[in-house]
């Protein structure tokens, strides 16, 4: 009954080689989020989509891009991964992002390793 | 400004009760969430408080005092599987979920 699905669970890429992580949801939620989480740290918001409207965090590097072709799918593209980009990447959704009694639902994450 | 603070780590014994505290500061408040995160896994939603008081869900309870900017998560009858990181978080006025650093709970036999 997975509601937020991330593929793959583990991804290995080479330094500088573009990589795409995917997320899909069956909740029909308006908002989809991408977080980066490094060991023993809180998740860090990279960007989110409210429907088709893209909202980038000010400190998200240009190296990180996102696409949301439809309600169900959202992609994270890392154009030229560096060693510092090795992390767990979490996708999450919420109904309308107001927060009121709306927890974010997280996928299982993709652990990205850079060789 | 806005910030959120919780202890880095705690240790407790199987079968015991543990309370994990969280203090926060924000100009806009839409409720406080607690998440559980096992190592290498995604956060899972535990509880939500928007009004003052205690919310109980089985072995887990969460308390909120808005005037004090304070919440706690209470875990009863601790089990080994409760060893995890516990994150408190709130939505700010811009709709962004602000997470604490997480409290790493170790449950010992």
């Amino acid at each position: 009954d997975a509601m937020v699905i991330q593929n793959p669970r583990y991804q290995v890429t080479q330094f500088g080689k573009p990589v795409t992580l995917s997320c899909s949801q069956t909740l029909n939620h308006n908002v989809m989020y991408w977080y980066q989480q490094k060991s023993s740290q809180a998740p860090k918001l990279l960007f989110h989509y409210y429907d088709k409207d893209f909202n980038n965090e000010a400190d998200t590097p240009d190296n990180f891009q996102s696409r949301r072709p439809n309600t169900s799918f959202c992609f994270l593209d890392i154009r030229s991964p560096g060693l510092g980009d090795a992390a767990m990447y979490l996708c999450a959704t919420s109904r309308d992002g107001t927060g009121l009694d709306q927890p974010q639902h997280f996928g299982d994450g993709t652990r990205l390793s850079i060789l | 400004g806005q910030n959120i603070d919780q202890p880095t780590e705690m240790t407790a014994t199987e079968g015991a009760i543990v309370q994990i505290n969280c203090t926060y500061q924000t100009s806009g408040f839409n409720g406080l969430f607690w998440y559980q995160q096992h190592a290498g896994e995604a956060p899972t939603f535990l509880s939500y408080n928007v009004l003052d008081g205690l919310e109980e869900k089985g072995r887990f309870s969460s308390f909120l005092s808005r005037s004090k900017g304070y919440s706690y998560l209470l875990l009863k009858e601790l089990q080994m599987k409760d060893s995890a990181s516990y994150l408190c978080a709130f939505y700010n006025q811009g709709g962004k979920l602000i997470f604490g650093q997480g409290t790493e709970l170790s449950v010992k036999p």
Side-chain angles (χ1 to χ4, degrees):
Chain A
D1 271 42
M3 295 179 288
V4 182
I5 303 160
Q6 290 188 244
N7 284 304
R9 288 293 309 275
Y10 300 91
Q11 175 75 57
V12 181
T13 192
Q14 292 177 331
F15 182 94
K17 185 175 181 181
V19 66
T20 294
L21 310 181
S22 73
C23 177
S24 63
Q25 54 130 342
T26 59
L27 297 162
N28 205 32
H29 282 174
N30 287 322
V31 193
M32 293 187 78
Y33 307 82
W34 279 105
Y35 290 87
Q36 179 193 66
Q37 187 178 27
K38 296 187 176 180
S39 182
S40 302
Q41 296 183 19
K44 177 181 180 295
L45 183 65
L46 295 172
F47 24 59
H48 73 276
Y49 275 93
Y50 187 100
D51 196 12
K52 295 178 182 178
D53 292 333
F54 178 69
N55 298 272
N56 199 29
E57 292 300 300
D59 57 354
T60 298
D62 293 339
N63 199 24
F64 290 83
Q65 305 284 320
S66 186
R67 296 169 284 137
R68 189 179 185 186
N70 54 53
T71 302
S72 301
F73 285 87
C74 197
F75 299 97
L76 169 62
D77 301 307
I78 309 177
R79 292 191 297 189
S80 183
L83 296 178
D85 297 329
M88 172 78 92
Y89 289 88
L90 297 165
C91 173
T93 73
S94 71
R95 193 168 64 239
D96 65 20
T98 63
L100 293 170
D101 202 10
Q102 288 187 44
Q104 289 187 11
H105 298 269
F106 286 83
D108 286 337
T110 294
R111 181 162 294 284
L112 179 66
S113 300
I114 315 293
L115 298 180
Chain B
Q2 56 192 25
N3 59 60
I4 189 163
D5 192 36
Q6 52 183 129
T8 305
E9 54 188 22
M10 299 182 72
T11 302
T13 305
E14 193 175 16
I17 298 173
V18 71
Q19 178 175 311
I20 303 174
N21 296 323
C22 173
T23 56
Y24 65 89
Q25 285 182 307
T26 180
S27 53
F29 181 74
N30 279 337
L32 190 128
F33 299 85
W34 283 96
Y35 283 85
Q36 179 192 59
Q37 186 175 26
H38 285 100
E41 297 181 13
T44 55
F45 169 69
L46 288 178
S47 68
Y48 170 75
N49 295 71
V50 68
L51 300 176
D52 291 351
L54 189 68
E55 294 279 341
E56 297 190 70
K57 275 188 181 182
R59 293 191 299 115
F60 293 4
S61 303
S62 57
F63 171 83
L64 176 69
S65 168
R66 288 171 296 171
S67 61
K68 294 181 181 177
Y70 168 67
S71 174
Y72 67 73
L73 180 70
L74 193 71
L75 291 77
K76 303 176 190 173
E77 301 168 19
L78 278 174
Q79 301 174 9
M80 299 298 290
K81 68 178 182 179
D82 297 329
S83 293
S85 183
Y86 292 85
L87 300 155
C88 61
F90 64 82
Y91 273 109
N92 69 4
Q93 285 181 312
K96 181 176 172 179
L97 192 61
I98 308 297
F99 282 96
Q101 288 293 102
T103 298
E104 192 69 39
L105 174 66
S106 298
V107 180
K108 308 290 186 188

